[in-house]
Amino acid sequence: MANPAITPELIAKHGLSPEEYEKALSILGREPSFEELGVFSVMWSEHCSYKNSRPELRKFPTTGPSVLVKAGEENAGVIDIGDGWAVAFKIESHNHPSAVEPFQGAATGVGGIIRDIFTMGARPVFLMDSLRFGSIEGNSEQAKTNRRLFAGVVAGIAHYGNCIGLPTVAGEVYFDESYSGNPLVNAFCLGILRHEQIARGAAEGVGNPVFYVGAETGRDGLAGAAFASRELTEESKADRPAVQVGDPFREKLLLEACLELLATDAVAGIQDMGAAGLTCSTCETASRGGTGVEIDIQLVPQRAKGQTPYEVLLSESQERMLVIVKKGQEDVVKRIFEKWDLPYAEIGKVTDDGKMRVRNGKDVVVDIPARSLADDGPLYHREAAPFTQPSALDFSTVPQADPADVLPKLLAHPSIASKRWVWRQYDHMVRTGTAVLPGSDAAVFIVREANKILAAATDCNAIYCKLDPSVGARIAVAECARNLACSGAVPLGVTDNLNFGNPHKPENFYQLRAAVEGISEGCRAFGVPVTGGNVSLYNESPAGAIDPTPTISMVGRIDDASHITTQTFKEAGDQVYLLGETGNELGGSHYLLAIHSRKEGAPPAMDFDKEKAIHIALLGVIRKGLVRSAHDCSEGGLAVAIAESTFGTGLGALIDLGATNDRPDVVLFNETQGRIVLSTKASDAPALEKELATTGIPFRKIGEVTAKADLSIKTGSNAYSWKGADLEHTFESAIPSLMEG
Amino acid sequence: MRVAVIQFPGSNCDTDCQAALLSFPGAQAGIVWHKETSLAGYDAVVLPGGFSYGDYLRCGSIARFSPIMGAVRGAADAGVLVIGICNGFQILCEAGLLPGTLMRNNGLLFRCENLHLRVENANSPFTSILHKGQVLEIPIAHGEGSYFADPETLKKLNANNQILLRYCDAKGNVSPEANPNGSLENIAGICSHGRNVFGLMPHPERVCDPLLGGTDGRGIFQSMIEWTASHQARK
Amino acid sequence: MKAVVTVMPKPAILDPAGVATGRAMEHLGLKGVRSIRIGKSIEIEVDGADEKQLHEICHDLLSNPVVEDYKLEILS
């Protein structure tokens, strides 16, 4: 079957602008082949090249004394954690595929991020996820769709993570109208390795053989353009571009086989085949190595008959790796991959001419300088619209709702309610390291083999980001750090997943720029590098773009098991303290959204100095053994935080927030930053207060933990009381009752 | 006690079991690849949890044909202790080393949570240091853990005291509410007629360390160690 | 009315269960396995439904049209 002729329509179908095509022409010095057109199209797509966002991403702080592999160098960044051990971690999105096929979209997203970690030579040890959907309440067609997407995504993550044997230990799930039609699925993975085990994706050593290992190539995920240019016959209907299906069993075998292979001396370079599969891995390894790579399509293990070179090159079949093997050591690959019963094939070699060259037997179908594809792609400086800071919320326009009704309503809001329905579907205990289970502020994981305790959290309040992206992004970083502090951890590094709309629209591009700048400020303030991450653009439908969602995942370290702290109260009689101000900022709050149906105002202020001081003070008293629980205040404010501290304990709390000029709803539900609810043994209270007094941070005793499971909160002269069992039931049953009817 | 922890393609809890066993002074534990054909020299065999062969076709249906299973059967016949945890229990049932089968959870969703088990019988190498009626808190993590056997088989299991663990509430009541997956008679773990082969869906290796939420799993492994020691002393 | 619905993964879609089962068959001595695809057979007995309704049910409920094809056979 002959390849189609290159026409302006075909070029446009491939997503290349006329200018980009001209650039390709000048690089080649001739017209591209059909296969070369496909290669340029995927390598220069936004997804692979970040052409619209790279200039902004350069603003991230990516260096530091602990950085062993920095952002952008390889598939994931690597940070030292002491004693010769290091962690490789990253977060990535699979938003658009999940909208089409939620189960497989989410599953393959998890599979992809896991490969990015073990391609660095690290053994993956845990996962997190950050998920967003439209509202799941009510019986509209959209709500039903959102429920189907939510159930499918969670089932897909569970299927892949459970089968491959990695615990999903933390995450977040938000429901907001802006995500209807554009669900967000961001998957995070962390792996452990010794410094000397760091593996790189460079094609080193001219003459070294290039091996393909893992699952056979099929027509998974092929770009529509490929298909649009074939004649549609009855046979070809069956070949229609296939949704990518993940095979976690295959990936488990691939993971074990690759780690075994990396433990030998046989590997010169290794790269996973993710987006743009064989194409991307071939030119990126060549570019990094400063060498060239030549492969023969006919040697690639294939699952379907009659695939064209174009299809094989652009296939996104899962669970495949490219391995540059040291010449003479080919038998090592054979031995290991036969043990693990996985396909493997020697498909090419490393050359010295800097080209990505693809043969189809005798014919050369692709011959492009690797660097132009991988590194010198187009770069755009998009226009950012001028931004007007939102004005502060005028409280006089907000009718005072009765806190007695508000608290249960907030606890029932799916974004705040218990996510147990989600994480009970994940095996969160496999690998026997999960010291703090899902449901607390941060996950705590003990990496047995390294004798290190890690903590991790993922956060982003997209309402704040919508109202003021710069502030929202700064808060996302601070909130992660605060969650880590509440578990007893110091921050080590950050990975980010930037989820935005169409970057050609200046207002969206402003959001991206402001978010990157806000994240950068936050990371500098907390002294943590950005180790890598992912950008997902074009998340929008005719109804509009998603709220800007720069998801932050932060990893931290806990120095001693005795510092591990959780968010729930421990014993009646324990004293409850508030670190930070009582606060009164309602702008962008869930109270305003859920009760008054308004998404407006200025988000709460972020003062990094104040915030850091509170974290440091908290860590100080945790290390002195003076803290029994710590929980940060976020959506829903103080009242929600205190209620959450009682859930699962059978205990209650008697709280008095003291005299105030503010309305009760403002005091109880404001989302002022830098606040932590802490509890301590009554006998430790004097020592705690003495210690906190030396730090200079604002703090106050606000009450005590009670044996009776009621929650009572007094503010000014208003006192409110709720039955703990009722609140807990509301919190726990909100999502199950929506999902299981 | 020298323990072989079998590693099938897709086993995930093999190193977890090994690490848990190594926390007992009386135990040595090594990983044995499924293509091996001998278990000579081992006092106990663990078939760990995970997703052998992806759980494809039926859980454990492909692993039961692994080369090592001949040796596992031989060991079981020779009275060596064999414990199948979660996927391991499924493999033992598929292989016919234990009666019955594990089916999809009645709630249809995978469930990972801590729950309670009641020791039904302490007269086995796996429960000997525990006592009848004792309540243990041990987590489950499975999508296909609903135990089923035909009425004849169930009668025999009860008559021969082969049901070692049942799902119960915190107070030890074996109730429908305490049943996480629809298992007949809340059965969580059973042993063979010869009492040396034990299968259970919950994961004792996950509760052998106080830092990881509890130590109620230690009793099962400790029982195995003491039984092995007393049998070796008698030899 | 009695009907049988057979739901199979679409031809171009990867069938991991089929792949693993095929390899297991080879290990058990069946050489020459070229392809295994695993699907579901759903047996329906229903009163007062017509074929058009059944097709809708097949499309909306019994199969996932993104990754699966179905075949509806009316028996009586």
Side-chain angles (χ1 to χ4, degrees), chain B residues 116-193:
Chain B
H116 296 92
L117 305 171
R118 193 176 72 189
V119 177
E120 301 293 284
N121 186 284
N123 202 1
S124 86
F126 307 93
T127 48
S128 54
I129 71 160
L130 306 170
H131 61 261
K132 185 169 160 154
Q134 185 171 354
V135 176
L136 305 171
E137 192 175 352
I138 300 187
I140 57 165
H142 58 246
E144 279 97 1
S146 181
Y147 183 75
F148 175 87
D150 61 52
E152 264 303 298
T153 307
L154 271 181
K155 230 165 85 174
K156 282 196 196 127
L157 290 176
N158 277 299
N160 296 332
N161 296 311
Q162 286 174 248
I163 300 168
L164 298 188
L165 297 171
R166 284 199 162 95
Y167 299 111
C168 65
D169 65 21
K171 294 198 173 75
N173 298 316
V174 173
S175 65
E177 295 74 36
N179 188 329
N181 50 35
S183 288
L184 289 179
E185 299 188 10
N186 281 35
I187 290 172
I190 60 166
C191 69
S192 59
H193 194 263

Side-chain angles (χ1 to χ4, degrees), chain A residues 24-361:
Chain A
L25 281 183
S26 69
I27 287 168
L28 291 174
R30 54 169 170 80
E31 260 207 4
S33 66
F34 181 54
E35 290 83 0
E36 286 171 332
L37 181 66
V39 166
F40 276 108
S41 146
V42 290
M43 288 310 297
W44 286 1
S45 68
E46 170 57 40
H47 187 54
C48 282
S49 70
Y50 289 177
K51 58 193 174 187
N52 288 297
S53 48
R54 234 157 59 233
E56 299 303 315
L57 299 179
R58 290 180 185 147
K59 298 175 182 173
F60 281 144
T62 57
T63 55
S66 63
V67 178
L68 298 171
V69 176
K70 66 184 238 271
E73 261 183 69
E74 298 283 341
N75 284 71
V78 181
I79 297 243
D80 169 52
I81 59 170
D83 298 316
W85 289 96
V87 287
F89 60 88
K90 191 165 133 186
I91 189 170
E92 247 183 20
S93 63
H94 225 219
N95 303 333
H96 297 100
S98 300
V100 171
E101 215 312 293
F103 184 96
Q104 290 298 343
T108 50
V110 172
I113 190 65
I114 292 172
R115 280 196 307 278
D116 274 334
I117 298 307
F118 70 80
T119 200
M120 296 305 299
R123 172 172 284 282
V125 288
F126 67 78
L127 307 169
M128 296 196 292
D129 56 65
S130 172
L131 314 175
R132 316 225 175 205
F133 306 92
S135 169
I136 54 171
E137 297 172 277
N139 272 309
S140 64
E141 280 313 304
Q142 188 61 68
K144 288 182 190 159
T145 298
N146 293 336
R147 285 195 286 272
R148 181 179 60 81
L149 291 174
F150 176 42
V153 162
V154 172
I157 294 171
H159 166 71
Y160 210 100
N162 295 347
C163 184
I164 203 174
L166 288 177
T168 301
V169 295
E172 47 172 14
V173 190
Y174 279 92
F175 301 89
D176 184 278
E177 269 326 292
S178 83
Y179 303 109
S180 272
N182 288 288
L184 297 187
V185 176
N186 296 165
F188 166 102
C189 180
L190 178 144
I192 189 87
L193 71 170
R194 303 278 310 160
H195 287 206
E196 58 273 16
Q197 290 175 314
I198 293 175
R200 296 198 178 250
E204 303 277 6
V206 177
N208 277 343
V210 171
F211 272 78
Y212 166 121
V213 300
E216 298 89 344
T217 297
R219 291 191 168 89
D220 309 72
L222 274 178
F227 210 67
S229 32
R230 292 174 101 203
E231 266 173 51
L232 258 185
T233 61
E234 269 313 302
E235 285 85 47
S236 55
K237 259 205 227 154
D239 296 339
R240 207 160 300 162
V243 163
Q244 303 157 32
V245 168
D247 184 347
F249 167 56
R250 267 291 176 70
E251 183 141 313
K252 164 75 176 178
L253 303 182
L254 186 65
L255 187 165
E256 297 299 337
C258 287
L259 289 180
E260 241 180 72
L261 183 62
L262 285 166
T264 69
D265 190 40
V267 177
I270 181 168
Q271 165 98 343
D272 84 301
M273 295 192 210
L278 194 48
T279 292
C280 188
S281 48
T282 304
C283 67
E284 276 189 2
T285 47
S287 184
R288 282 200 199 99
T291 51
V293 171
E294 177 177 308
I295 61 173
D296 183 349
I297 286 296
Q298 290 184 3
L299 299 175
V300 170
Q302 295 183 37
R303 181 176 97 218
K305 291 206 173 24
Q307 291 181 103
T308 64
Y310 181 101
E311 289 171 328
V312 175
L313 275 174
L314 300 188
S315 163
E316 296 195 350
S317 292
Q318 302 289 296
E319 294 104 22
R320 304 175 297 163
M321 309 285 283
L322 197 75
V323 187
I324 320 295
V325 175
K326 292 179 185 163
K327 197 156 178 62
Q329 305 239 35
E330 295 85 338
D331 275 352
V332 179
V333 180
K334 180 169 144 63
R335 176 175 54 81
I336 292 174
F337 281 81
E338 282 178 5
K339 170 188 170 183
W340 288 97
D341 202 19
L342 286 168
Y344 67 94
E346 184 174 336
I347 63 167
K349 59 181 192 277
V350 179
T351 69
D352 60 1
D353 65 2
K355 301 284 197 69
M356 168 190 172
R357 190 176 306 106
V358 180
R359 292 184 181 278
N360 180 19

Side-chain angles (χ1 to χ4, degrees), chain A residues 425-445:
Chain A
Q425 296 180 52
Y426 303 150
D427 185 346
H428 45 268
M429 301 180 193
V430 64
R431 297 206 66 79
T432 50
T434 313
V436 173
L437 300 183
S440 194
D441 281 322
V444 176
F445 193 90

Side-chain angles (χ1 to χ4, degrees), chain A residues 162-165 247-249 252-253 338-340 421 424-435 437 446 448 561 740, chain B residues 7-16 19 33 35 51-54 56 109-114 139 141 205-206 211-212:
Chain A
N162 295 347
C163 184
I164 203 174
D247 184 347
F249 167 56
K252 164 75 176 178
L253 303 182
E338 282 178 5
K339 170 188 170 183
W340 288 97
W421 183 89
R424 212 169 65 168
Q425 296 180 52
Y426 303 150
D427 185 346
H428 45 268
M429 301 180 193
V430 64
R431 297 206 66 79
T432 50
T434 313
L437 300 183
I446 301 176
R448 215 172 38 224
E740 284 162 20
Chain B
Q7 185 189 40
F8 295 97
S11 292
N12 292 319
C13 306
D14 44 336
T15 53
D16 294 351
W33 181 234
K35 286 189 183 157
F51 281 68
S52 59
Y53 294 94
Y56 295 139
L109 295 178
F110 187 99
R111 267 177 89 148
C112 172
E113 62 191 302
N114 274 312
E205 80 281 9
R206 293 184 179 184
L211 277 179
L212 297 175

Side-chain angles (χ1 to χ4, degrees), chain C residues 27-41:
Chain C
H27 288 310
L28 284 175
L30 194 68
K31 304 294 166 206
V33 174
R34 294 223 260 143
S35 163
I36 306 281
R37 298 186 69 71
I38 301 182
K40 288 186 253 224
S41 177

Side-chain angles (χ1 to χ4, degrees), chain A residues 581 610 613-614 617 689-699:
Chain A
E581 315 278 3
K610 278 192 185 154
I614 293 187
E689 292 190 19
K690 185 154 173 254
E691 196 53 44
L692 287 176
T694 68
T695 66
I697 64 156
F699 73 93

